[in-house]
Amino acid sequence: MGTWPLSACLRCPGHRRAGDKEQIGLHRFRRLVDLAQHVGAVRASELLGEEVELWHGPPLSGLAGQWLPSTAGAYMEACMEEEERLSALEEHAAAVLEVGRARDTIRELTSLVIEHPLRERAASLLMTC
């Protein structure tokens, strides 16, 4: 996602991020997903392809320690963000299939189904490929 000029402002009892929303990957991701819902399949596959590039694994996966699971609010938000990411991967695959480029999404869908075998839409899209 690159390095952005974000600043952390110390506030009791914690920190607050200050900066343009476009500098935060999650906000960019949500904006691209929203835009993709309002355009044709070709443009949607491009936008969702950009979105896929913004993610590098599950939310907060690079943080060390056991403090996150004990922080219920942060943990639940990370779970919701992961669901958003997986849904967007499925949307991207569907858009790519719709424009007739099944070969371009087989690897992505295979990995998704292996990692999340109970996701019915991903399995269905893979079978469609």
Side-chain angles (χ1 to χ4, degrees):
M1 290 193 193
T3 304
W4 296 306
L6 293 180
S7 61
C9 304
L10 183 60
R11 290 179 56 190
C12 295
H15 292 85
R16 176 181 64 89
R17 288 181 292 195
D20 182 9
K21 283 180 100 173
E22 280 297 303
Q23 296 174 328
I24 299 172
L26 178 62
H27 295 295
R28 289 182 58 207
F29 163 79
R30 287 179 175 163
R31 182 183 59 79
L32 289 172
V33 170
D34 185 53
L35 283 173
Q37 294 175 356
H38 304 293
V39 297
V42 172
R43 183 66 179 131
S45 69
E46 293 168 357
L47 289 170
L48 292 168
E50 289 179 39
E51 161 273 316
V52 168
E53 295 298 318
L54 293 176
W55 285 97
H56 303 287
L60 307 177
S61 62
L63 298 177
Q66 294 299 316
W67 65 271
L68 183 61
S70 66
T71 309
Y75 182 72
M76 290 304 296
E77 187 169 331
C79 291
M80 289 186 298
E81 290 170 10
E82 175 67 355
E83 178 58 31
E84 284 182 70
R85 181 184 79 87
L86 296 173
S87 293
L89 286 171
E90 292 168 345
E91 286 296 322
H92 177 249
V96 170
L97 282 173
E98 189 174 331
V99 297
R101 296 187 352 241
R103 286 185 168 186
D104 294 348
T105 194
I106 289 175
R107 182 176 298 155
E108 177 182 286
L109 280 171
T110 301
S111 295
L112 183 59
V113 170
I114 288 170
E115 291 175 29
H116 304 278
L118 300 179
R119 293 192 70 88
E120 293 177 6
R121 183 165 189 220
S124 173
L125 289 166
L126 182 57
M127 288 187 279
T128 302
C129 285

